[in-house]
Amino acid sequence: MVLNNYRENVRGYLEAIVKPLAKAGVTPNTITVLGLLISLAGAYLFYLNEQFWAAIVLLIGSLIDALDGTLARMTGKTSRFGAFLDSTFDRISDGAVLFGIAAGNLVDWRIAFLTFMGAYLVSYERCRAELAGSGKLAVGIAERAERLLILIGFALFGYVEYGVYLVGVLAWITVLQRMWVAYQRLK
């Protein structure tokens, strides 16, 4: 019940933000591209060892990224390509952020790579299992939003390295959770 109220409140806020964008003729795909560009700027700030500002930029980017789907639904411009574009740009953003963190020597590149692999597998498993007929596979403790919030939270205080460790562990736990659920549904 509380979670449903929370979702309704968030949906209301998003719709209030999106209404002026819809009136101005902004398209959902434009918002998707803007979200990616902002995430790439955050990744670059990590490369420059500017954790705090990278976190602020990623927070703004993630808020903007949440708007494209709402805008698409409100304007009746949902499309399979839009969903594909959003998902693809999310993967680019995830990889760029971890690359920026590693390239900025904020975490060992091997840890960043393992975290990157776990994060990608979380998304891949969902897509592959759903295509195989598992039904919706939105299970696990660390989907993209949670992983991003962890990185942002740790980076705000200058500890993004520990955020990467935590995201890596949680991503791999999620991989195992999804594998188990897919096995149960597809066997």
Side-chain angles (χ1 to χ4, degrees):
M1 182 72 172
V2 171
L3 187 57
N4 286 336
N5 288 340
Y6 172 76
R7 286 183 180 151
E8 289 300 318
N9 286 339
V10 169
R11 188 174 297 130
Y13 291 127
L14 291 176
E15 288 175 0
I17 294 169
V18 164
K19 282 180 185 177
L21 296 174
K23 287 180 183 176
V26 175
T27 68
N29 290 347
T30 300
I31 299 296
T32 302
V33 171
L34 180 61
L36 173 65
L37 294 174
I38 292 171
S39 291
L40 293 176
Y44 183 68
L45 288 168
F46 276 126
Y47 168 71
L48 297 176
N49 289 297
E50 295 288 344
Q51 289 188 53
F52 177 82
W53 292 111
I56 296 298
V57 168
L58 284 180
L59 184 59
I60 293 166
S62 64
L63 294 172
I64 288 174
D65 187 46
L67 298 177
D68 55 1
T70 303
L71 181 61
R73 285 184 293 279
M74 279 186 64
T75 59
K77 293 182 180 178
T78 59
S79 71
R80 290 183 297 182
F81 176 74
F84 170 82
L85 184 69
D86 184 51
S87 181
T88 300
F89 282 9
D90 284 350
R91 302 297 75 76
I92 293 169
S93 173
D94 292 346
V97 167
L98 287 168
F99 180 79
I101 291 168
N105 293 312
L106 297 169
V107 72
D108 184 279
W109 69 267
R110 292 167 286 220
I111 300 298
F113 178 76
L114 289 172
T115 301
F116 170 81
M117 205 163 77
Y120 268 60
L121 277 172
V122 168
S123 298
Y124 173 80
E125 283 180 319
R126 179 176 180 171
C127 178
R128 188 64 187 98
E130 289 175 1
L131 285 172
S134 73
K136 199 144 178 84
L137 193 68
V139 298
I141 59 173
E143 292 195 80
R144 182 173 190 265
E146 290 85 2
R147 295 190 310 265
L148 191 55
L149 286 174
I150 289 167
L151 290 178
I152 290 169
F154 277 85
L156 281 172
F157 297 100
Y159 296 106
V160 75
E161 176 181 14
Y162 298 109
V164 174
Y165 294 150
L166 181 58
V167 165
V169 169
L170 295 177
W172 280 98
I173 289 170
T174 304
V175 166
L176 295 174
Q177 289 174 308
R178 288 189 173 184
M179 192 175 296
W180 177 251
V181 172
Y183 169 75
Q184 293 296 315
R185 292 180 183 175
L186 298 170
K187 64 180 178 175

